[in-house]
Amino acid sequence: MRRSVCILLLVIIASQSFNKLWVTLSFKMNERYISTVLCENKNRPEMHCNGRCILAKKLKLAEDNEQKQRNQNQENTNVLFFCKLNKLKFTGFPAAAQKDNFNRFYLHFKPSSFHNDIFRPPQVAFA
């Protein structure tokens, strides 16, 4: 299930990236129909348009849609966050106030050699 979802997402991303390619392939597959039915210059065969006017319009439309999508994404990502900065005011010397409450027990701590009795490196046994 996970694999199929990943493949589906990759196909969707690829289809967005190759939008112009899909338009061109669609034109090539339906070129005869487009040149005979949809072409604006079908009454003027000396121009040899063969439906390329429709292709140009579709490519321009795809480019405009892509540009519009880029602009919308850019507008959504350009978000600024403002926050209020608070300034700290020092009214006195804080170290003098903390000296009275300071516990110096850890300064007089002397480690014992008890840890040597418990923690020993593994002994290597030679066969």
Side-chain angles (χ1 to χ4, degrees), residues 19-78:
N19 192 15
K20 292 179 186 175
L21 177 69
W22 300 125
V23 170
T24 307
L25 286 177
S26 169
F27 171 76
K28 287 293 183 187
M29 289 175 15
N30 300 319
E31 188 171 11
R32 183 180 299 154
Y33 172 75
I34 290 172
S35 63
T36 57
V37 177
L38 300 176
C39 185
E40 297 172 351
N41 300 321
K42 63 183 173 187
N43 296 332
R44 293 183 269 175
E46 67 275 359
M47 291 184 70
H48 302 290
C49 177
N50 297 330
R52 289 191 206 105
C53 55
I54 300 295
L55 176 63
K57 283 184 179 182
K58 295 236 181 184
L59 287 174
K60 176 77 170 137
L61 183 65
E63 179 70 29
D64 291 344
N65 287 341
E66 191 174 316
Q67 185 64 33
K68 188 187 301 182
Q69 187 69 27
R70 268 192 241 131
N71 290 341
Q72 284 178 347
N73 289 342
Q74 195 173 30
E75 287 174 9
N76 292 340
T77 56
N78 289 340

Side-chain angles (χ1 to χ4, degrees), residues 104-120:
R104 297 172 195 257
F105 172 74
Y106 79 95
L107 294 177
H108 302 293
F109 179 71
K110 295 179 184 171
S112 68
S113 61
F114 183 69
H115 69 278
N116 291 336
D117 296 336
I118 297 173
F119 300 108
R120 292 186 186 184

Side-chain angles (χ1 to χ4, degrees), residues 77-92:
T77 56
N78 289 340
V79 178
L80 298 176
F81 293 100
F82 294 100
C83 63
K84 182 180 176 184
L85 296 175
N86 295 326
K87 294 182 180 178
L88 299 174
K89 295 181 182 180
F90 294 106
T91 57

